[in-house]
Amino acid sequence: MKLDVDVPADGRRHQYCWGCRAETVAPHHGAAGFTCATCGREYGRSLVVDPALDWWTDPSGEYWHRTAGVFVRRADGRYLFFERVFFPLEWTVPAGHIDTGEDPAHAASRELREEVGLSAPPSDLVPLDVTDIPGDSCWRGSDAHRWHPYLLNVPLETTAEVLEEGRDPRWLTPSEALSRPLTFPVRTLLERHATTTLT
């Protein structure tokens, strides 16, 4: 998505309606999505421009975010996945946006703790290839993300509880995960690494 609003240079967060681009959206109460007070429509996402997040536009005007994610591998070769309850409503791994100035490994460690309650220092995370994924849509309005994926090996007895943005954590093999409706970037990364690093 091209960034098609004139964002004020005030250093503040701005959130626009996905349809009419009015800055009059509010989250649904008790459900995922947003309602616009100007056009009256409801959308699963909005357009958020936030100086606290690492974002940019490329020469074509495409709006990009940076994301860090962790493939958590248990000693039996199964990985931690969970179902998102916010856009996009598909299966994913612990992941999230990187803050402005934040080291990607620290962001991955933070997201791991915030989303599934697992603590791991950045030094325990094994970096995979940094990957640009056009077509990766998030609820904040970007359709292109630069992913910083990591691998974390954990003991067989490790358990996880989804704390934010999801439900139903499952330990799955790569082939089991690929049979589910995965988010576009997680499917892309899993297919890329399933026969090499993620085995």
mmCIF file of all heavy atoms in Angstrom, residues 80-82 94 111-118 158-164 166-171:
data_model
loop_
_atom_site.group_PDB
_atom_site.id
_atom_site.type_symbol
_atom_site.label_atom_id
_atom_site.label_comp_id
_atom_site.label_asym_id
_atom_site.label_seq_id
_atom_site.Cartn_x
_atom_site.Cartn_y
_atom_site.Cartn_z
ATOM 1 N N LEU A 80 6.181 -23.786 17.901
ATOM 2 C CA LEU A 80 5.056 -23.112 18.546
ATOM 3 C C LEU A 80 4.337 -22.199 17.553
ATOM 4 O O LEU A 80 4.942 -21.308 16.963
ATOM 5 C CB LEU A 80 5.555 -22.289 19.732
ATOM 6 C CG LEU A 80 4.502 -21.481 20.491
ATOM 7 C CD1 LEU A 80 3.441 -22.411 21.100
ATOM 8 C CD2 LEU A 80 5.169 -20.630 21.559
ATOM 9 N N PHE A 81 3.038 -22.446 17.388
ATOM 10 C CA PHE A 81 2.171 -21.600 16.572
ATOM 11 C C PHE A 81 0.939 -21.253 17.392
ATOM 12 O O PHE A 81 0.581 -21.958 18.341
ATOM 13 C CB PHE A 81 1.725 -22.333 15.295
ATOM 14 C CG PHE A 81 2.844 -22.607 14.332
ATOM 15 C CD1 PHE A 81 3.601 -23.760 14.456
ATOM 16 C CD2 PHE A 81 3.130 -21.717 13.304
ATOM 17 C CE1 PHE A 81 4.638 -24.025 13.577
ATOM 18 C CE2 PHE A 81 4.170 -21.969 12.425
ATOM 19 C CZ PHE A 81 4.923 -23.120 12.562
ATOM 20 N N PHE A 82 0.270 -20.172 17.022
ATOM 21 C CA PHE A 82 -1.017 -19.848 17.639
ATOM 22 C C PHE A 82 -1.880 -19.090 16.642
ATOM 23 O O PHE A 82 -1.399 -18.567 15.636
ATOM 24 C CB PHE A 82 -0.847 -19.055 18.941
ATOM 25 C CG PHE A 82 -0.181 -17.711 18.784
ATOM 26 C CD1 PHE A 82 -0.928 -16.570 18.503
ATOM 27 C CD2 PHE A 82 1.195 -17.576 18.951
ATOM 28 C CE1 PHE A 82 -0.319 -15.328 18.376
ATOM 29 C CE2 PHE A 82 1.812 -16.342 18.825
ATOM 30 C CZ PHE A 82 1.056 -15.217 18.534
ATOM 31 N N PRO A 94 5.286 -16.200 17.386
ATOM 32 C CA PRO A 94 5.482 -14.949 18.129
ATOM 33 C C PRO A 94 6.252 -13.936 17.273
ATOM 34 O O PRO A 94 7.354 -14.216 16.802
ATOM 35 C CB PRO A 94 6.295 -15.382 19.348
ATOM 36 C CG PRO A 94 6.016 -16.841 19.504
ATOM 37 C CD PRO A 94 5.823 -17.370 18.125
ATOM 38 N N GLU A 111 8.993 -9.559 21.970
ATOM 39 C CA GLU A 111 7.740 -10.107 21.454
ATOM 40 C C GLU A 111 7.488 -11.517 21.993
ATOM 41 O O GLU A 111 6.350 -11.885 22.284
ATOM 42 C CB GLU A 111 7.758 -10.126 19.920
ATOM 43 C CG GLU A 111 7.678 -8.757 19.280
ATOM 44 C CD GLU A 111 6.330 -8.071 19.477
ATOM 45 O OE1 GLU A 111 5.336 -8.778 19.768
ATOM 46 O OE2 GLU A 111 6.265 -6.834 19.341
ATOM 47 N N LEU A 112 8.541 -12.293 22.113
ATOM 48 C CA LEU A 112 8.421 -13.643 22.655
ATOM 49 C C LEU A 112 7.849 -13.602 24.068
ATOM 50 O O LEU A 112 6.936 -14.363 24.416
ATOM 51 C CB LEU A 112 9.809 -14.286 22.648
ATOM 52 C CG LEU A 112 9.931 -15.764 22.948
ATOM 53 C CD1 LEU A 112 9.241 -16.595 21.878
ATOM 54 C CD2 LEU A 112 11.399 -16.146 23.047
ATOM 55 N N ARG A 113 8.360 -12.688 24.871
ATOM 56 C CA ARG A 113 7.895 -12.548 26.254
ATOM 57 C C ARG A 113 6.461 -12.006 26.296
ATOM 58 O O ARG A 113 5.611 -12.505 27.043
ATOM 59 C CB ARG A 113 8.843 -11.623 27.021
ATOM 60 C CG ARG A 113 8.524 -11.464 28.494
ATOM 61 C CD ARG A 113 9.542 -10.571 29.182
ATOM 62 N NE ARG A 113 9.548 -9.220 28.628
ATOM 63 C CZ ARG A 113 10.475 -8.731 27.797
ATOM 64 N NH1 ARG A 113 11.493 -9.483 27.412
ATOM 65 N NH2 ARG A 113 10.395 -7.490 27.349
ATOM 66 N N GLU A 114 6.188 -10.987 25.497
ATOM 67 C CA GLU A 114 4.873 -10.345 25.533
ATOM 68 C C GLU A 114 3.775 -11.240 24.978
ATOM 69 O O GLU A 114 2.642 -11.203 25.473
ATOM 70 C CB GLU A 114 4.919 -9.037 24.733
ATOM 71 C CG GLU A 114 5.757 -7.950 25.367
ATOM 72 C CD GLU A 114 5.883 -6.711 24.489
ATOM 73 O OE1 GLU A 114 5.388 -6.720 23.333
ATOM 74 O OE2 GLU A 114 6.482 -5.731 24.957
ATOM 75 N N GLU A 115 4.069 -12.016 23.951
ATOM 76 C CA GLU A 115 3.009 -12.770 23.273
ATOM 77 C C GLU A 115 2.785 -14.161 23.849
ATOM 78 O O GLU A 115 1.648 -14.632 23.877
ATOM 79 C CB GLU A 115 3.291 -12.859 21.776
ATOM 80 C CG GLU A 115 3.194 -11.505 21.087
ATOM 81 C CD GLU A 115 3.020 -11.610 19.588
ATOM 82 O OE1 GLU A 115 3.293 -12.682 19.021
ATOM 83 O OE2 GLU A 115 2.601 -10.600 18.992
ATOM 84 N N VAL A 116 3.858 -14.842 24.271
ATOM 85 C CA VAL A 116 3.678 -16.216 24.740
ATOM 86 C C VAL A 116 4.349 -16.502 26.085
ATOM 87 O O VAL A 116 4.422 -17.644 26.524
ATOM 88 C CB VAL A 116 4.163 -17.242 23.679
ATOM 89 C CG1 VAL A 116 3.294 -17.159 22.434
ATOM 90 C CG2 VAL A 116 5.629 -17.045 23.340
ATOM 91 N N GLY A 117 4.863 -15.469 26.749
ATOM 92 C CA GLY A 117 5.399 -15.624 28.083
ATOM 93 C C GLY A 117 6.699 -16.390 28.191
ATOM 94 O O GLY A 117 7.042 -16.867 29.271
ATOM 95 N N LEU A 118 7.449 -16.507 27.097
ATOM 96 C CA LEU A 118 8.736 -17.201 27.137
ATOM 97 C C LEU A 118 9.866 -16.180 27.228
ATOM 98 O O LEU A 118 9.867 -15.183 26.495
ATOM 99 C CB LEU A 118 8.929 -18.060 25.883
ATOM 100 C CG LEU A 118 7.951 -19.227 25.710
ATOM 101 C CD1 LEU A 118 8.244 -19.962 24.408
ATOM 102 C CD2 LEU A 118 8.039 -20.184 26.897
ATOM 103 N N THR A 158 8.905 -27.536 27.610
ATOM 104 C CA THR A 158 8.490 -26.129 27.517
ATOM 105 C C THR A 158 7.004 -26.021 27.213
ATOM 106 O O THR A 158 6.472 -26.706 26.338
ATOM 107 C CB THR A 158 9.289 -25.411 26.414
ATOM 108 O OG1 THR A 158 10.676 -25.477 26.738
ATOM 109 C CG2 THR A 158 8.861 -23.949 26.299
ATOM 110 N N THR A 159 6.327 -25.155 27.956
ATOM 111 C CA THR A 159 4.927 -24.843 27.688
ATOM 112 C C THR A 159 4.814 -23.349 27.409
ATOM 113 O O THR A 159 5.682 -22.567 27.789
ATOM 114 C CB THR A 159 4.022 -25.207 28.879
ATOM 115 O OG1 THR A 159 4.461 -24.473 30.035
ATOM 116 C CG2 THR A 159 4.083 -26.700 29.171
ATOM 117 N N ALA A 160 3.757 -22.973 26.733
ATOM 118 C CA ALA A 160 3.547 -21.564 26.398
ATOM 119 C C ALA A 160 2.074 -21.222 26.516
ATOM 120 O O ALA A 160 1.205 -22.077 26.304
ATOM 121 C CB ALA A 160 4.043 -21.277 24.982
ATOM 122 N N GLU A 161 1.817 -19.988 26.862
ATOM 123 C CA GLU A 161 0.455 -19.473 26.963
ATOM 124 C C GLU A 161 0.381 -18.194 26.151
ATOM 125 O O GLU A 161 1.228 -17.309 26.293
ATOM 126 C CB GLU A 161 0.105 -19.187 28.422
ATOM 127 C CG GLU A 161 -1.267 -18.598 28.625
ATOM 128 C CD GLU A 161 -1.533 -18.247 30.072
ATOM 129 O OE1 GLU A 161 -0.648 -18.435 30.920
ATOM 130 O OE2 GLU A 161 -2.648 -17.744 30.340
ATOM 131 N N VAL A 162 -0.611 -18.095 25.274
ATOM 132 C CA VAL A 162 -0.739 -16.895 24.456
ATOM 133 C C VAL A 162 -1.288 -15.771 25.330
ATOM 134 O O VAL A 162 -2.368 -15.882 25.907
ATOM 135 C CB VAL A 162 -1.657 -17.131 23.237
ATOM 136 C CG1 VAL A 162 -1.758 -15.860 22.411
ATOM 137 C CG2 VAL A 162 -1.115 -18.271 22.381
ATOM 138 N N LEU A 163 -0.516 -14.687 25.433
ATOM 139 C CA LEU A 163 -0.880 -13.579 26.315
ATOM 140 C C LEU A 163 -1.484 -12.409 25.557
ATOM 141 O O LEU A 163 -2.261 -11.644 26.122
ATOM 142 C CB LEU A 163 0.361 -13.110 27.081
ATOM 143 C CG LEU A 163 1.097 -14.186 27.879
ATOM 144 C CD1 LEU A 163 2.357 -13.610 28.507
ATOM 145 C CD2 LEU A 163 0.181 -14.766 28.947
ATOM 146 N N GLU A 164 -1.114 -12.233 24.307
ATOM 147 C CA GLU A 164 -1.596 -11.096 23.516
ATOM 148 C C GLU A 164 -1.934 -11.551 22.102
ATOM 149 O O GLU A 164 -1.246 -12.386 21.539
ATOM 150 C CB GLU A 164 -0.522 -10.003 23.401
ATOM 151 C CG GLU A 164 -0.203 -9.277 24.671
ATOM 152 C CD GLU A 164 0.774 -8.142 24.432
ATOM 153 O OE1 GLU A 164 1.248 -7.975 23.301
ATOM 154 O OE2 GLU A 164 1.071 -7.417 25.393
ATOM 155 N N GLY A 166 -3.773 -13.479 20.491
ATOM 156 C CA GLY A 166 -3.974 -14.815 19.961
ATOM 157 C C GLY A 166 -4.640 -15.764 20.927
ATOM 158 O O GLY A 166 -5.048 -15.400 22.031
ATOM 159 N N ARG A 167 -4.740 -17.019 20.467
ATOM 160 C CA ARG A 167 -5.344 -18.087 21.269
ATOM 161 C C ARG A 167 -4.851 -19.433 20.736
ATOM 162 O O ARG A 167 -4.238 -19.511 19.676
ATOM 163 C CB ARG A 167 -6.869 -18.020 21.186
ATOM 164 C CG ARG A 167 -7.405 -18.240 19.781
ATOM 165 C CD ARG A 167 -8.901 -18.099 19.707
ATOM 166 N NE ARG A 167 -9.350 -18.195 18.322
ATOM 167 C CZ ARG A 167 -10.444 -17.653 17.862
ATOM 168 N NH1 ARG A 167 -11.232 -16.951 18.657
ATOM 169 N NH2 ARG A 167 -10.787 -17.799 16.591
ATOM 170 N N ASP A 168 -5.132 -20.480 21.488
ATOM 171 C CA ASP A 168 -4.934 -21.855 21.053
ATOM 172 C C ASP A 168 -3.497 -22.172 20.635
ATOM 173 O O ASP A 168 -3.247 -22.560 19.485
ATOM 174 C CB ASP A 168 -5.900 -22.171 19.909
ATOM 175 C CG ASP A 168 -6.052 -23.673 19.690
ATOM 176 O OD1 ASP A 168 -5.665 -24.453 20.593
ATOM 177 O OD2 ASP A 168 -6.538 -24.066 18.617
ATOM 178 N N PRO A 169 -2.524 -22.029 21.539
ATOM 179 C CA PRO A 169 -1.142 -22.375 21.157
ATOM 180 C C PRO A 169 -1.015 -23.861 20.867
ATOM 181 O O PRO A 169 -1.583 -24.697 21.570
ATOM 182 C CB PRO A 169 -0.330 -21.967 22.389
ATOM 183 C CG PRO A 169 -1.310 -22.043 23.524
ATOM 184 C CD PRO A 169 -2.637 -21.649 22.951
ATOM 185 N N ARG A 170 -0.269 -24.182 19.807
ATOM 186 C CA ARG A 170 -0.059 -25.577 19.406
ATOM 187 C C ARG A 170 1.400 -25.796 19.030
ATOM 188 O O ARG A 170 2.024 -24.930 18.419
ATOM 189 C CB ARG A 170 -0.925 -25.924 18.186
ATOM 190 C CG ARG A 170 -2.416 -25.790 18.370
ATOM 191 C CD ARG A 170 -2.992 -26.956 19.166
ATOM 192 N NE ARG A 170 -4.433 -26.816 19.321
ATOM 193 C CZ ARG A 170 -5.322 -27.407 18.530
ATOM 194 N NH1 ARG A 170 -4.911 -28.151 17.519
ATOM 195 N NH2 ARG A 170 -6.610 -27.246 18.743
ATOM 196 N N TRP A 171 1.918 -26.972 19.365
ATOM 197 C CA TRP A 171 3.254 -27.388 18.929
ATOM 198 C C TRP A 171 3.057 -28.262 17.703
ATOM 199 O O TRP A 171 2.486 -29.342 17.776
ATOM 200 C CB TRP A 171 3.969 -28.144 20.042
ATOM 201 C CG TRP A 171 4.262 -27.281 21.232
ATOM 202 C CD1 TRP A 171 3.509 -27.151 22.359
ATOM 203 C CD2 TRP A 171 5.384 -26.428 21.397
ATOM 204 N NE1 TRP A 171 4.101 -26.262 23.226
ATOM 205 C CE2 TRP A 171 5.258 -25.802 22.667
ATOM 206 C CE3 TRP A 171 6.502 -26.118 20.616
ATOM 207 C CZ2 TRP A 171 6.191 -24.895 23.159
ATOM 208 C CZ3 TRP A 171 7.435 -25.216 21.102
ATOM 209 C CH2 TRP A 171 7.282 -24.615 22.359
#
